[in-house]
Amino acid sequence: MANRTDPHADTVHGANPQFLVDRIIRAKIYNDAYWKEFCFGLTTESVIDEAAKLDYVCGTYGGRRRPAKFLCLFLKLLQIQPDEDVVMEYIKQPELKYLRALGCAYLRITARYPTIYKTLEPLYADYRKLRYRDMNGKLSIIHMDEFIDWLLHEETVCDVTMPQMPKREILEQQEALEPYQSVLEDDLEDLEDLERSVKEAQEARDAAEAAVKAEALREAGLAPPVPAASEEKPSEAPEEERQEERQKERPRSRDRERRERERERERSRSRRRGRSDSGRARREKKEGRDAKEAKVAKEAKDAKEGKEKKDKKDKKEDKEKKEKK
């Protein structure tokens, strides 16, 4: 009775909620002393007290693959199936980080996909540290945002197989979710503004230094002479010469283009001719092969008919000999 699901609980993904945990893992949890002693008779309120005592996140560990307290409480939530509002309170409260992790894991496996994205994605901004115990029993430090990323993208978290979820882009196309807005967007805009202001200040500083150097060179008499207005005005003769050269170059370019087109047409004709020749050769080869096969088949048929006639003749002669005797 203690291991049965609440009779008023709804099915999750078309199955008993406890069946979302593998059968072997469930059997280990049912036989664990922590489950029998501390998880018996827990309610949605008393789960908070047990979650407050958690000090690491884990599935099973050690050589015997003993289930951790976190996994036992996770199965208990599947058994009693708290309301979604209660699970949201588990997640929103800021004091107990392991209770938040437990609520996120339960929400990921039982809630609808838009609700999962809307609830878990804001928690990417939670950078608190969590202790994580791996399969070998070794403890390491992870962060809450890393654990949330596991829930959204990994297939197995804490020895529990996560149901597959559609990609966020698909839900956005179905208008089930709004386009994603990163919490770092404002910081990125501030960073771009800062980089732009630094670049403008550097350009202004370089321009000022260049002006100071040019002024110092002019005072020392080392600056290059400024060309007069008459020197800056281009002469008309070279311009006329350039126009004449362009006019001469135009017919030459037209001739080159015409020759290129003729070469291209010749190449295309040769390619078509080559393809037709190769096609004719293939057809002749195929016809010769078919004729040879037909000849061989005819010879085999004639040989078979000759053999059948000979056999009939031999049988007839044997029959006549038997009748004479």
Side-chain angles (χ1 to χ4, degrees):
M1 292 294 291
N3 298 335
R4 289 185 179 180
T5 307
D6 187 349
H8 301 289
D10 298 328
T11 59
V12 178
H13 299 289
N16 189 325
Q18 290 195 88
F19 291 171
L20 297 175
V21 180
D22 295 339
R23 183 178 60 84
I24 297 176
I25 303 297
R26 289 202 313 272
K28 290 179 179 293
I29 294 174
Y30 294 155
N31 294 326
D32 190 70
Y34 178 79
W35 173 268
K36 296 177 179 178
E37 184 175 356
F38 296 98
C39 295
F40 179 79
L42 285 180
T43 61
T44 55
E45 293 83 5
S46 56
V47 166
I48 299 175
D49 299 333
E50 292 297 326
K53 301 176 185 177
L54 294 176
D55 52 0
Y56 60 85
V57 174
C58 180
T60 58
Y61 64 93
R64 296 174 54 247
R65 300 295 300 275
R66 181 180 178 183
K69 298 178 182 179
F70 182 87
L71 188 59
C72 294
L73 293 178
F74 177 76
L75 184 63
K76 193 64 182 180
L77 289 180
L78 291 175
Q79 187 183 41
I80 63 178
Q81 199 178 61
D83 294 335
E84 187 172 318
D85 296 337
V86 176
V87 179
M88 289 297 181
E89 291 300 325
Y90 291 167
I91 297 173
K92 291 178 181 178
Q93 55 82 31
E95 289 83 9
L96 304 175
K97 55 186 179 181
Y98 290 102
L99 178 60
R100 172 176 285 185
L102 184 64
C104 290
Y106 177 79
L107 185 78
R108 165 64 180 87
I109 204 171
T110 59
R112 296 181 179 274
Y113 304 132
T115 304
I116 294 172
Y117 279 107
K118 291 177 183 178
T119 306
L120 297 188
E121 282 181 344
L123 298 180
Y124 278 131
D126 190 353
Y127 306 121
R128 287 182 293 179
K129 295 180 179 180
L130 296 173
R131 295 187 189 90
Y132 176 72
R133 194 167 194 171
D134 58 13
M135 189 183 300
N136 298 323
K138 184 178 179 181
L139 289 170
S140 59
I141 297 296
I142 62 173
H143 298 81
M144 181 64 75
D145 61 332
E146 186 177 357
F147 183 72
I148 297 299
D149 188 70
W150 289 357
L151 293 175
L152 290 177
H153 299 101
E154 296 294 332
E155 294 182 358
T156 304
V157 180
C158 296
D159 292 318
V160 178
T161 303
M162 296 289 134
Q164 292 186 354
M165 282 202 314
K167 292 185 178 180
R168 198 182 202 285
E169 292 79 3
I170 298 175
L171 296 177
E172 289 179 359
Q173 293 175 1
Q174 297 175 354
E175 298 182 356
L177 286 176
E178 296 180 356
Y180 178 71
Q181 293 183 352
S182 175
V183 295
L184 301 177
E185 188 174 356
D186 296 336
D187 296 337
L188 291 175
E189 291 179 357
D190 296 341
L191 181 60
E192 290 177 357
D193 294 340
L194 179 61
E195 290 178 351
R196 193 181 303 111
S197 60
V198 169
K199 186 177 180 180
E200 292 175 355
Q202 183 66 29
E203 292 176 354
R205 195 180 303 111
D206 294 341
E209 292 178 357
V212 171
K213 288 181 181 180
E215 184 66 25
L217 290 174
R218 281 196 296 270
E219 291 178 358
L222 300 176
V226 179
S230 60
E231 296 179 358
E232 292 179 356
K233 184 178 180 179
S235 60
E236 297 179 356
E239 182 65 25
E240 294 177 356
E241 293 177 358
R242 284 194 292 270
Q243 290 180 359
E244 292 177 359
E245 291 178 357
R246 292 194 198 100
Q247 292 176 358
K248 293 178 182 178
E249 188 67 26
R250 286 170 187 167
R252 296 175 187 171
S253 62
R254 293 195 193 99
D255 294 340
R256 284 196 297 269
E257 291 176 358
R258 187 173 60 255
R259 286 194 295 270
E260 288 293 333
R261 287 196 295 270
E262 290 176 356
R263 292 194 195 99
E264 184 63 29
R265 284 196 292 269
E266 186 64 28
R267 282 195 291 268
S268 62
R269 289 195 206 100
S270 62
R271 283 196 295 268
R272 287 195 297 270
R273 194 181 304 114
R275 283 197 294 269
S276 62
D277 294 342
S278 61
R280 190 181 304 109
R282 285 195 297 271
R283 286 194 297 272
E284 292 176 356
K285 188 176 180 181
K286 184 178 180 181
E287 290 174 357
R289 187 168 57 249
D290 294 342
K292 188 176 180 180
E293 291 177 355
K295 184 178 178 182
V296 172
K298 185 178 180 182
E299 291 176 354
K301 184 178 179 181
D302 294 342
K304 185 177 180 181
E305 291 177 354
K307 187 177 179 181
E308 290 177 353
K309 289 180 180 178
K310 186 178 179 181
D311 292 341
K312 289 181 179 179
K313 185 177 180 181
D314 293 340
K315 289 180 180 180
K316 187 176 180 180
E317 291 177 356
D318 293 339
K319 187 177 181 181
E320 290 176 354
K321 288 179 182 179
K322 288 179 180 179
E323 291 176 353
K324 288 181 180 180
K325 290 180 180 180

